[in-house]
Amino acid sequence: MDVKKPASQENLNGDESESQISHLALDIGGSLIKVVYFLRSNGSGGSVDDSGKKSDPVLEGRLHFAKFETSKINDCLEFIRSKNLHLAGFRHHDASASDKTLIKATGGGAYKFADLIKEKLGVVLDKEDEMDCLVTGANFLLKAVHQEAFTYVDGQKEFVQIDQNDLYPYLLVNIGSGVSMIKVDGDGKFERISGTSVGGGTFWGLGRLLTNCKSFDELLELSHQGNNRVIDMLVGDIYGGSEYSKIGLTSTNIASSFGKAISDNKELKDYKPEDVARSLLRMISNNIGQISYLNALRFGLKRIFFAGFFIRGHAYTMDTISVAVSFWSKGDAKAMFLRHEGFLGALGAFVSYENHGLGGLKTHQSVQQFAVSKTYAGKKICCLVNEDLNDNESIDFGVAFAA
Amino acid sequence: MPSMHRSGSRPQLDLSKAAIQGNFEVKNPTILLPNQSDDISHLALDIGGSLIKLVYFSRHEDQSIDDKRKKTIKERLGISNGNRRSYPILGGRLHFVKFETTKISECLDFIHSKQLHRGGIHATGGGAYKFADLFKERLGVSLDKEDEMDCLVAGANFLLKAIRHEAFTHMEGQKEFVQIDTNDLFPYLLVNIGSGVSMIKVDGDGKFERVSGTNVGGGTYWGLGRLLTKCKSFDELLELSQRGDNRDHRHIGLSASTIASSFGKTISDKKELADYRPEDISLSLLRMISYNIGQISYLNALRFGLKRIFFGGFFIRGHAYTMDTISFAVQFWSKGEAQAMFLRHEGFLGALGAFMSYEKHGLDDLMVHQLVERFPMGAPYTGGRIHGPPLGDLNEKISWMEKFVLKGTEITAPVPMAPSGTTGLGGFEVPLSKGSTLRSDASALNVGVLHLVPTLEVFPLLADPKMYEPNTIDLADRSELEYWFTVLSEHLPDLVDKAVASEGGTDDAKRRGDAFARAFSAHLARLMEEPAAYGKLGLANLLELREECLREFQFLDAYRSIKQRENEASLAVLPDLLVELDSMSKETRLLMLIEGVLAANIFDWGSRACVDLYHKGTIIEIYRMSRNKMQRPWRVDDFDAFKERMLGSGDNKPRPHKRALLFVDNSGADVVLGMLPLARELLRRGTEVVLVANSLPALNDITAMELPDIVAEAAKHCDILRRAAEAGGLLVDAMINTLDGSKENSPSVPLMVVENGCGSPCIDLRQVSSELAAAAKNADLIILEGMGRALHTNFNARFKCEALKLAMVKNQRLAEKLIKGNIYDCVCRYEPAR
């Protein structure tokens, strides 16, 4: 990763020789803490780009991503300390403001854990608006990272090349506990236009009550093995197996989620938790897909990107949402996902360093020329949560610090 | 199996079949036919996943044509005898019944017991396929399957066009009926919430498209709810939700952020399912689903630019919280631009639509004014809940009422009986606070029986029929409602006494009297709890409900003997009064006549104050006392303007009116000593007079059936009345002793009697008899007399012709409210032609 660093920004890391690190940003959510940090590559410095034009000095380095469960925040703090990441913030612009190091953070936990972090790491969290970070992160990824967005159809991931000049406006659907739908018109230009309370929290909450699963992932895993037809009332169940094509429904369409639980004399314990989980997942994904599509339609948005912990790279949730969007749009629209979807907030917080104290840090177009390479950080850092491909990769890229 | 719906052209129903099956339907008096058995039925079903909805039509024979008065009035008014044939439909009733689909056997028994399947069965809903064989096997008929969506739309269109107070909004517990201009109905979004949800864009009759839907619907609520709470029925689950903890979400109010995540709390808690109250789960579930439906519906309405969203389907069930939540969602997401509306017959759209699919139901041409909705007790058609076998006859109905009273609220009542604290007969306590409890069974009696009365018409002299509102008192005002309920309750024991006496005071009569009192008290309690339960509630509706309730328990004329006695007493003194009047000058006489009308209007059994008076003196004494009290100016006194119009001033001699419609009120002195002399004066001036009286008894009001005899009796002593009555065809067969044979040959303008089409002490001029409508065509003066027709209703009505409203106010509160006066104040309001 190249970071062009203007000479005037001498104070970026205090003593640069002491650390390779440039930045650290956190997104502390209700269930996960997402960490984004930048490590400089050795031997980089001011350079001249390919065109031969004299340019600003560039720092090359690598963006790393890591996740921890919020309940294990101490592991996270230990991880930061062990890597000295907390020294990577920036000193307050006003030199007189003691030696406080500010770390960019977002998410509800940025408030909740501020004191703990101050105590343990001696750094102050600089809180960034969640929605701002989300959008900034998404914009950054969609513009800066090649092959970031993809569709997911019938289990097949297909990367979508997005023309940067034709990116806006788009709909960003962030599925956390609840769901936020954000219309994004440009950098820093966005509006929350809708949402729904039926989101990941509903899946996990209802799912917990219905299945006694101990974790979200366990529930998701269960759902993968289930058959929703056992509990859902399908169009065919109502119409005696005949299709109701006149209104564009087929016998296998779900007419009523959990509708079969009405007529059966079965109780909860008579149903397999797998089937219950699957019905639940389909219900919620379908609903989010529908409301998202209707909102995209309403504002004439061509693209819908889904993100948030509900997705978390889980094939099955992506699949159901894709099916829903395709169904409701009659094939006109396709759901898209982001490879780094879990890190939008943290990335946004990271990028927001540009806006503070560094005199207009700016992502240059040139970053695109840097290919993405993946490293499997998970292999190295055992305390990180799950080993998913997406989670622990790092991206090489350059950030230009323009004066 | 006769297939009557396939043969012939309009009129639709094959009369020849009527006699074959005999009386399979109960006697159930209606406004058209007090003692007539129901005739041929049409049946339509909507067999859904959880409920079976039935709509069936029972025809009623037209009223007997032997009525002498009717025959002559038809000739007089130029209504040809064949005219009735041209009516597109025959009178009858539409009944609405529900059964749980799991209890389909009960449903089949019901159909069989009433032989409703004789005319074939039109069916819609998924079950029409699933249960086709069962119907074939049990009833021997094949179901004619109708497309579900077609039916929904046809049903909704029919309701929105034909029923005046069908659509309403429901915000924060408040129901408000919305008057829909039928010319501006389309396009709209119809959201039908059954097991799943269908969203249909409706552009016109038969023109619609299913634009969207959601699989998160009633089945989801019930299915998930069952798994999470172990409830045994949908209603039980719904009821649970009422006790759910709503504190955190004061009103669903809540900015949307209040519920960031439905069921999201259960993530972090360490609790298990067993640790949560089923009530809270049910409520959360209900809120999640209702809110979601509201949101998706709005987005779809927006997408197609639809102004109105109507929500129907069994999920709603009149449940206040559900409606509030949906309304809130629509309002929230539309930022107040859109409003959710609901339909009173919400569960019956499909069944009604299937019914419409009968080729010759004739309902297409039905107009709003030809439908009268009634809410009888104890019948199985009351929506929402199923309770036992259908009540076959009056006796069963009474038994049921008795049993109900014994067991209290254990029996599921079609009318939720008054909550504890309600005393059966007189009076009841007001529910603590409205809206503090959420009702789950609010729809229990929201759906009545629709009476199709093709002969009803809009009164043609209304200045602006669209703006016309009959009720003067708006019972949406809680204090008004409480007041009138108290008045009616206090009057009830006396009414029961009269009713029982009118039937000879037998044990049977007493039993029916008790049942009536209980039934009517239950209606009152029900309305007290939810004033809009039966549609928009006005005083006129309440008073009519009481009369209908009496008729339901076969008290056909509770005041029969009283009316007779008073008529005789009044007729005895009429000759003296006429002599007295004839000795006066025109000016004095006119004043005396109007004064007489106002004075005689004191005889009103509907007024508590007057009932007390009755116990104190004879009719004539009261009349004289009342007259002596008449001191002008009256509280509302337009007499001079009226006199000017009648007699002119100076050289100005105004032309007499061509025809006057006199809406009469009470029997006895009121009509005999008040209105008849006034009619006589008009006749004398060469004005045709049409006496307009009730079709059916209401309190001591005179009826159109009774009037001809009274006129004939009066005519014995008055030549003017005699000749006019003869000219009007009222004395065709009567043996009259003429007082003065020498004037036999001089022609007279006619005196006629027409029925008004009502059986209530008030009159809604949007629904009057065809003969009144015909009589109105040449009329240039309307005289409305009495509290019911001139004050409670029509006080603010405006007419195309001149109108005179005469009444004595026999109620202190009304006097204060309406004319800022006191009890026994008089109203003489004259309104020139518009």
Side-chain angles (χ1 to χ4, degrees):
Chain A
M1 177 170 191
D2 289 339
V3 174
K4 299 177 182 176
K5 184 169 174 279
S8 61
Q9 299 294 335
E10 294 298 340
N11 61 342
L12 178 63
N13 274 329
D15 184 0
E16 281 194 48
S17 61
E18 188 181 309
S19 169
Q20 299 178 300
I21 298 160
S22 295
H23 290 94
L24 164 71
L26 303 173
D27 174 6
I28 312 177
S31 47
L32 290 174
I33 301 174
K34 280 76 74 178
V35 182
V36 173
Y37 60 96
F38 176 72
L39 292 179
R40 266 179 66 191
S41 312
N42 292 326
S44 68
S47 69
V48 175
D49 69 14
D50 295 348
S51 64
K53 266 196 293 181
K54 183 108 169 125
S55 72
D56 294 326
V58 167
L59 286 177
E60 277 184 20
R62 202 166 263 193
L63 265 186
H64 295 265
F65 301 88
K67 276 186 203 171
F68 298 84
E69 283 188 24
T70 306
S71 57
K72 295 172 182 161
I73 187 164
N74 284 327
D75 291 354
C76 174
L77 298 182
E78 189 49 44
F79 172 79
I80 292 171
R81 175 189 296 283
S82 71
K83 291 187 157 294
N84 274 334
L85 299 179
H86 59 298
L87 304 176
F90 64 95
R91 299 277 155 77
H92 200 278
H93 207 50
D94 181 357
S96 69
S98 75
D99 280 342
K100 263 195 288 183
T101 304
L102 291 180
I103 300 284
K104 291 285 181 190
T106 186
Y111 296 86
K112 197 171 168 186
F113 297 110
D115 290 346
L116 179 72
I117 290 170
K118 176 131 197 274
E119 179 193 322
K120 292 254 176 140
L121 301 177
V123 295
V124 174
L125 295 186
D126 188 20
K127 286 139 201 144
E128 289 293 321
D129 178 79
E130 208 167 345
M131 203 98 39
D132 282 339
C133 290
L134 215 57
V135 173
T136 306
N139 283 348
F140 178 81
L141 285 169
L142 286 167
K143 285 194 287 189
V145 182
H146 185 61
Q147 294 201 330
E148 175 64 23
F150 60 92
T151 59
Y152 197 93
V153 180
D154 297 330
Q156 292 301 310
K157 228 183 218 185
E158 197 172 304
F159 286 98
V160 178
Q161 195 62 41
I162 306 235
D163 177 358
Q164 278 190 56
N165 299 318
D166 188 29
L167 173 61
Y168 305 113
Y170 66 85
L171 185 69
L172 177 62
V173 180
N174 186 58
I175 314 177
S177 294
V179 182
S180 289
M181 294 174 192
I182 304 158
K183 174 170 168 275
V184 182
D185 291 305
D187 279 327
K189 283 169 63 184
F190 63 90
E191 185 190 358
R192 182 185 192 273
I193 52 166
S194 194
T196 163
S197 66
V198 185
T202 313
F203 176 62
W204 177 206
L206 265 178
R208 224 179 132 262
L209 295 181
L210 288 163
T211 66
N212 292 322
C213 273
K214 294 290 172 242
S215 76
F216 182 90
D217 293 311
E218 187 187 340
L219 183 65
L220 258 186
E221 188 52 39
L222 263 189
S223 74
H224 197 48
Q225 301 150 20
N227 177 6
N228 73 297
R229 296 183 187 198
V230 176
I231 301 172
D232 287 346
M233 188 185 282
L234 305 186
V235 170
D237 293 325
I238 296 182
Y239 296 96
S242 62
E243 300 206 353
Y244 207 58
S245 54
K246 185 185 164 189
I247 52 172
L249 297 176
T250 63
S251 61
T252 53
N253 284 132
I254 301 172
S256 174
S257 288
F258 289 89
K260 257 188 204 158
I262 292 174
S263 42
D264 287 351
N265 288 318
K266 293 197 229 168
E267 287 181 28
L268 181 54
K269 61 179 164 48
D270 302 321
Y271 291 100
K272 285 164 62 187
E274 293 86 340
D275 298 339
V276 173
R278 181 117 171 186
S279 287
L280 196 58
L281 179 66
R282 289 211 55 177
M283 175 179 99
I284 290 165
S285 303
N286 204 22
N287 199 59
I288 293 171
Q290 179 178 20
I291 295 177
S292 302
Y293 168 67
L294 285 170
N295 276 297
L297 197 67
R298 176 180 174 189
F299 293 99
L301 310 176
K302 283 181 295 188
R303 298 193 185 91
I304 312 174
F305 297 101
F306 291 87
F309 88 79
F310 181 67
I311 310 265
R312 220 189 258 181
H314 281 286
Y316 200 60
T317 65
M318 290 193 287
D319 196 41
T320 51
I321 286 178
S322 296
V323 168
V325 170
S326 168
F327 175 79
W328 292 112
S329 69
K330 298 192 171 81
D332 283 349
K334 278 197 174 102
M336 285 192 273
F337 305 90
L338 301 173
R339 268 187 329 120
H340 294 86
E341 49 86 8
F343 292 94
L344 294 185
L347 258 175
F350 179 84
V351 175
S352 72
Y353 278 112
E354 299 174 10
N355 304 324
H356 301 278
L358 293 181
L361 179 76
K362 206 170 145 220
T363 309
H364 273 213
Q365 294 293 327
S366 61
V367 293
Q368 253 197 329
Q369 72 196 44
F370 296 93
V372 172
S373 74
K374 293 167 196 151
T375 58
Y376 299 89
K379 299 243 161 59
K380 299 179 281 190
I381 308 164
C382 58
C383 61
L384 289 177
V385 291
N386 76 52
E387 310 267 316
D388 277 5
L389 179 85
N390 282 1
D391 290 343
N392 306 309
E393 66 187 37
S394 59
I395 307 175
D396 284 333
F397 60 118
V399 177
F401 292 79
Chain B
M1 194 56 47
S3 68
M4 42 217 51
H5 63 284
R6 292 288 181 220
S7 62
S9 58
R10 288 178 177 177
Q12 308 79 14
L13 299 162
D14 187 345
L15 285 175
S16 64
K17 304 292 197 303
I20 299 174
Q21 298 284 338
N23 59 333
F24 55 86
E25 251 281 320
V26 296
K27 286 191 174 179
N28 204 351
T30 74
I31 197 162
L32 274 183
L33 273 194
N35 286 302
Q36 182 67 46
S37 294
D38 282 4
D39 197 359
I40 300 159
S41 298
H42 275 174
L43 171 65
L45 302 175
D46 175 4
I47 312 179
S50 48
L51 288 175
I52 303 176
K53 279 78 70 176
L54 278 75
V55 170
Y56 68 95
F57 181 76
S58 57
R59 221 207 107 211
H60 284 257
E61 291 276 2
D62 202 349
Q63 200 161 7
S64 93
I65 39 162
D66 294 341
D67 188 334
K68 181 177 63 197
R69 183 194 60 77
K70 279 204 146 172
K71 215 187 236 168
T72 26
I73 204 69
K74 270 181 200 154
E75 287 164 14
R76 281 285 139 206
L77 300 173
I79 306 172
S80 79
N81 264 335
N83 206 16
R84 189 136 301 192
R85 289 242 172 84
S86 67
Y87 285 113
I89 53 164
L90 298 166
R93 299 175 191 153
L94 270 183
H95 302 259
F96 301 85
V97 192
K98 285 180 191 174
F99 290 90
E100 284 183 26
T101 306
T102 51
K103 294 174 182 162
I104 191 164
S105 269
E106 279 182 20
C107 174
L108 291 163
D109 290 345
F110 177 83
I111 293 169
H112 188 262
S113 74
K114 288 187 171 288
Q115 291 288 300
L116 298 176
H117 54 293
R118 291 185 309 139
I121 303 178
H122 283 208
T124 185
Y129 295 87
K130 199 167 167 186
F131 297 111
D133 291 345
L134 185 65
F135 273 83
K136 182 89 192 160
E137 180 195 318
R138 290 279 297 271
L139 299 173
V141 289
S142 303
L143 299 179
D144 284 336
K145 288 156 198 106
E146 302 293 335
D147 178 82
E148 197 169 0
M149 215 67 66
D150 285 342
C151 289
L152 273 180
V153 173
N157 281 348
F158 168 75
L159 288 169
L160 288 168
K161 284 196 272 187
I163 312 237
R164 210 183 304 278
H165 295 129
E166 179 63 25
F168 59 90
T169 58
H170 201 287
M171 296 291 287
E172 300 188 10
Q174 290 300 315
K175 207 183 223 185
E176 198 170 306
F177 285 95
V178 180
Q179 192 82 23
I180 307 253
D181 181 356
T182 49
N183 298 320
D184 188 30
L185 174 61
F186 305 113
Y188 65 84
L189 186 69
L190 177 63
V191 180
N192 185 60
I193 314 177
S195 296
V197 182
S198 286
M199 295 174 192
I200 305 160
K201 174 171 167 275
V202 182
D203 291 305
D205 283 323
K207 284 168 62 186
F208 63 89
E209 186 190 355
R210 184 186 193 277
V211 292
S212 194
T214 161
N215 48 305
V216 185
T220 312
Y221 174 58
W222 176 204
L224 262 178
R226 222 178 132 267
L227 296 180
L228 290 165
T229 67
K230 300 196 167 64
C231 273
K232 291 287 170 249
S233 77
F234 183 89
D235 285 313
E236 191 186 336
L237 182 67
L238 210 48
E239 241 176 79
L240 264 190
S241 75
Q242 286 177 246
R243 302 195 295 272
D245 186 357
N246 204 24
R247 278 172 313 182
D248 294 341
H249 328 276
R250 221 157 281 278
H251 279 319
I252 0 190
L254 19 157
S255 57
S257 60
T258 312
I259 313 168
S261 172
S262 294
F263 287 91
K265 261 193 185 167
T266 55
I267 298 173
S268 43
D269 294 350
K270 295 292 169 212
K271 297 195 227 167
E272 288 187 19
L273 180 54
D275 302 324
Y276 290 95
R277 294 170 67 222
E279 291 86 345
D280 297 341
I281 288 178
S282 179
L283 183 63
S284 285
L285 211 49
L286 183 63
R287 183 170 44 221
M288 175 181 96
I289 290 167
S290 303
Y291 194 85
N292 195 60
I293 292 171
Q295 180 179 15
I296 295 178
S297 300
Y298 166 67
L299 285 170
N300 277 295
L302 193 72
R303 176 179 173 191
F304 295 101
L306 308 176
K307 283 182 294 186
R308 299 196 185 89
I309 313 176
F310 297 102
F311 292 84
F314 87 86
F315 174 70
I316 297 176
R317 294 205 183 185
H319 193 267
Y321 191 80
T322 308
M323 293 192 285
D324 274 357
T325 309
I326 291 174
S327 299
F328 177 82
V330 170
Q331 203 195 30
F332 177 83
W333 291 112
S334 71
K335 298 191 172 76
E337 297 277 300
Q339 255 189 335
M341 286 190 269
F342 304 89
L343 301 174
R344 228 153 43 79
H345 290 82
E346 37 95 359
F348 286 99
L349 297 185
L352 207 46
F355 183 84
M356 301 292 289
S357 67
Y358 276 101
E359 249 174 69
K360 294 174 289 292
H361 57 72
L363 295 180
D364 291 337
D365 303 322
L366 203 65
M367 308 291 282
V368 174
H369 58 260
Q370 292 168 325
L371 283 169
V372 182
E373 191 174 11
R374 303 204 185 290
F375 298 87
M377 295 291 297
Y381 33 68
T382 46
R385 299 191 170 191
I386 320 300
H387 39 81
L391 300 171
D393 60 14
L394 184 64
N395 191 46
E396 279 181 36
K397 195 181 278 189
I398 294 169
S399 303
W400 181 84
M401 288 300 300
E402 288 167 348
K403 212 164 68 183
F404 179 85
V405 172
L406 282 180
K407 294 204 180 172
T409 47
E410 284 172 35
I411 298 180
T412 312
V415 175
M417 281 304 249
S420 56
T422 301
T423 60
L425 290 179
F428 42 81
E429 288 173 14
V430 179
L432 295 175
S433 75
K434 201 170 139 351
S436 63
T437 53
L438 294 165
R439 309 177 42 81
S440 73
D441 56 350
S443 67
L445 200 73
N446 276 354
V447 177
V449 176
L450 275 186
H451 291 238
L452 278 52
V453 192
T455 54
L456 290 179
E457 294 182 28
V458 177
F459 188 58
L461 293 175
L462 282 177
D464 186 355
K466 271 190 181 166
M467 295 302 292
Y468 172 78
E469 165 61 48
N471 285 291
T472 310
I473 306 291
D474 187 1
L475 293 185
D477 178 341
R478 189 74 190 165
S479 66
E480 286 294 333
L481 186 67
E482 281 165 14
Y483 173 77
W484 287 104
F485 278 24
T486 310
V487 167
L488 291 181
S489 299
E490 283 174 353
H491 184 246
L492 195 51
D494 185 62
L495 178 59
V496 172
D497 286 349
K498 294 283 180 304
V500 172
S502 76
E503 296 281 306
T506 61
D507 285 349
D508 170 63
K510 282 177 190 154
R511 208 168 149 241
R512 284 191 279 131
D514 279 352
F516 156 73
R518 285 176 187 131
F520 186 58
S521 297
H523 277 302
L524 288 183
R526 174 79 179 84
L527 288 168
M528 203 58 190
E529 216 175 320
E530 201 201 338
Y534 300 170
K536 194 176 178 186
L537 184 64
L539 187 54
N541 310 88
L542 258 187
L543 295 176
E544 181 167 13
L545 182 66
R546 180 175 62 183
E547 298 302 327
E548 281 306 317
C549 199
L550 273 172
R551 281 189 269 278
E552 194 186 345
F553 291 94
Q554 293 196 2
F555 293 106
L556 300 185
D557 194 355
Y559 286 77
R560 179 165 30 209
S561 52
I562 291 164
K563 288 193 291 185
Q564 208 170 349
R565 204 170 62 223
E566 292 187 0
N567 286 338
E568 282 165 10
S570 304
L571 282 164
V573 297
L574 177 65
D576 290 348
L577 178 66
L578 294 182
V579 169
E580 189 188 336
L581 287 167
D582 287 347
S583 69
M584 299 172 180
S585 68
K586 272 187 188 173
E587 286 78 10
T588 318
R589 191 165 64 222
L590 188 62
L591 177 60
M592 293 309 280
L593 284 165
I594 298 299
E595 216 175 84
V597 169
L598 294 171
N601 190 233
I602 199 168
F603 295 91
D604 185 345
W605 281 92
S607 156
R608 178 63 185 269
C610 297
V611 173
D612 290 343
L613 276 180
Y614 281 118
H615 298 301
K616 289 177 189 152
T618 69
I619 284 173
I620 295 308
E621 280 168 352
I622 298 169
Y623 175 68
R624 291 203 195 290
M625 181 200 74
S626 173
R627 264 195 95 137
N628 289 335
K629 280 184 157 183
M630 289 289 125
Q631 293 292 331
R632 284 191 67 199
W634 301 308
R635 191 66 202 165
V636 176
D637 193 340
D638 296 337
F639 176 75
D640 293 339
F642 181 62
K643 190 172 110 182
E644 168 87 25
R645 167 62 188 92
M646 292 287 279
L647 305 176
S649 56
D651 291 337
N652 173 30
K653 294 289 170 222
R655 60 168 181 83
H657 294 95
K658 195 167 179 304
R659 178 183 284 177
L661 301 180
L662 274 59
F663 288 77
V664 296
D665 187 12
N666 305 301
S667 301
D670 197 6
V671 65
V672 175
L673 304 181
M675 290 302 271
L676 267 185
L678 179 61
R680 178 173 171 266
E681 187 68 15
L682 289 162
L683 290 165
R684 179 187 260 175
R685 290 165 47 85
T687 301
E688 296 179 9
V689 173
V690 181
L691 297 174
V692 184
N694 257 21
S695 299
L696 288 177
L699 292 170
N700 65 327
D701 288 0
I702 191 83
T703 67
M705 288 283 277
E706 295 161 344
L707 255 183
D709 288 343
I710 288 170
V711 171
E713 192 57 34
K716 285 179 186 170
H717 312 288
C718 171
D719 194 48
I720 298 167
L721 286 174
R722 181 181 57 79
R723 284 185 294 124
E726 271 175 1
L730 288 173
L731 300 179
V732 178
D733 304 326
M735 300 299 290
I736 303 294
N737 296 319
T738 54
L739 293 173
D740 183 355
S742 65
K743 291 178 185 171
E744 278 280 312
N745 297 327
S746 57
S748 170
V749 288
L751 170 65
M752 292 168 276
V753 172
V754 300
E755 60 172 335
N756 60 14
C758 305
S760 153
C762 299
I763 186 166
D764 179 345
L765 291 171
R766 290 172 301 199
Q767 300 188 301
V768 302
S769 71
S770 53
E771 59 183 50
L772 172 52
K777 295 226 166 82
N778 296 317
D780 50 3
L781 174 66
I782 292 170
I783 300 181
L784 290 163
E785 189 239 346
M787 286 216 298
R789 294 171 190 85
L791 301 184
H792 290 330
T793 51
N794 303 310
F795 188 61
N796 301 318
R798 293 290 172 263
F799 298 97
K800 290 175 183 163
C801 66
E802 293 169 52
L804 185 65
K805 295 167 183 172
L806 299 171
M808 178 189 276
V809 190
K810 288 147 291 188
N811 174 296
Q812 180 63 28
R813 185 185 176 99
L814 187 73
E816 288 169 18
K817 174 151 182 140
L818 219 55
I819 56 173
K820 297 187 173 61
N822 286 302
I823 189 164
Y824 303 127
D825 273 349
C826 288
V827 172
C828 172
R829 183 189 260 191
Y830 170 71
E831 294 157 347
R834 293 227 135 191

